[in-house]
Amino acid sequence: MNLFHFLTTKVLLLCCGLTLLFSSCYKITHNTILKGQFHLNAFEINGGSTNFMGGVLPDYVDENGNVIGDYVIYMLDNGLMRGEYYSNGNLVYYRTGEWDMPTKDSIYMKIDVFVDGTFYIEQVSSSEMLMSTDKNQIGFFNIGEVASTLRISNGEQKDPNNTKP
């Protein structure tokens, strides 16, 4: 009877541990992937491969075509987010927006005139991810609702081609 009691206790503890582990996956994803500082490396619309960062952000590239712009996103507590756009190391402008994580693999974001939608999150590497949606409401040039892809990195700005197939 002692062996049965011992094994039953171990199985019960293992089941409880697994339940806690899987129920906390959302919280772990929420805190480790989304909180912090991120760099928007590319903004693509309608399934195209054109990075619209240079077309919509002032002084994103220099006269030689080198990227000197950096759009930094901070995911803050209480559903707030902040976007800061820098060109050549100088702050050009900033915006405040909102975010929420309705599921463990999607995020709703509304910030600036570029992003207003729920994006599916695909982790490409430990520091890079793709965020894509079929319905992003873009508020400039009367574009409206279109499919969009954001190529994002944390820690430092990265080449957006790293996340392309």
Side-chain angles (χ1 to χ4, degrees):
M1 200 54 126
N2 281 340
L3 180 60
F4 177 74
H5 185 279
F6 176 77
L7 289 176
T8 305
T9 303
K10 291 291 184 186
V11 169
L12 184 59
L13 286 174
L14 179 63
C15 288
C16 289
L18 289 174
T19 301
L20 285 173
L21 176 67
F22 288 119
S23 67
S24 66
C25 284
Y26 172 84
K27 190 73 169 169
I28 290 169
T29 301
H30 186 272
N31 288 329
T32 59
I33 292 179
L34 295 177
K35 293 241 178 141
Q37 173 185 334
F38 295 89
H39 300 268
L40 179 57
N41 301 312
F43 172 68
E44 301 162 355
I45 60 174
N46 277 337
S49 60
T50 301
N51 184 355
F52 282 90
M53 301 284 283
V56 297
L57 295 172
D59 300 319
Y60 186 74
V61 294
D62 65 12
E63 60 276 351
N64 298 321
N66 299 313
V67 173
I68 59 170
D70 188 10
Y71 197 101
V72 183
I73 301 168
Y74 296 94
M75 303 299 208
L76 306 170
D77 290 330
N78 300 322
L80 294 175
M81 67 188 303
R82 180 178 169 104
E84 298 177 353
Y85 174 61
Y86 295 86
S87 180
N88 209 22
N90 297 310
L91 179 64
V92 176
Y93 73 86
Y94 66 91
R95 300 288 183 264
T96 303
E98 58 188 85
W99 71 280
D100 187 25
M101 199 168 171
T103 66
K104 67 180 170 111
D105 59 355
S106 68
I107 180 171
Y108 168 75
M109 297 184 291
K110 181 178 182 180
I111 191 165
D112 215 323
V113 294
F114 315 113
V115 175
D116 183 0
T118 299
F119 291 77
Y120 171 75
I121 303 167
E122 180 184 347
Q123 192 76 31
V124 177
S125 70
S126 62
S127 64
E128 294 171 293
M129 67 182 98
L130 291 174
M131 294 185 181
S132 56
T133 185
D134 290 333
K135 297 178 180 179
N136 180 30
Q137 186 68 34
I138 298 178
F140 64 91
F141 300 133
N142 294 321
I143 292 177
E145 188 174 271
V146 294
S148 299
T149 300
L150 309 176
R151 298 182 185 281
I152 294 178
S153 61
N154 61 358
E156 62 185 37
Q157 196 171 13
K158 303 258 181 150
D159 182 350
N161 292 318
N162 293 346
T163 55
K164 291 188 178 181

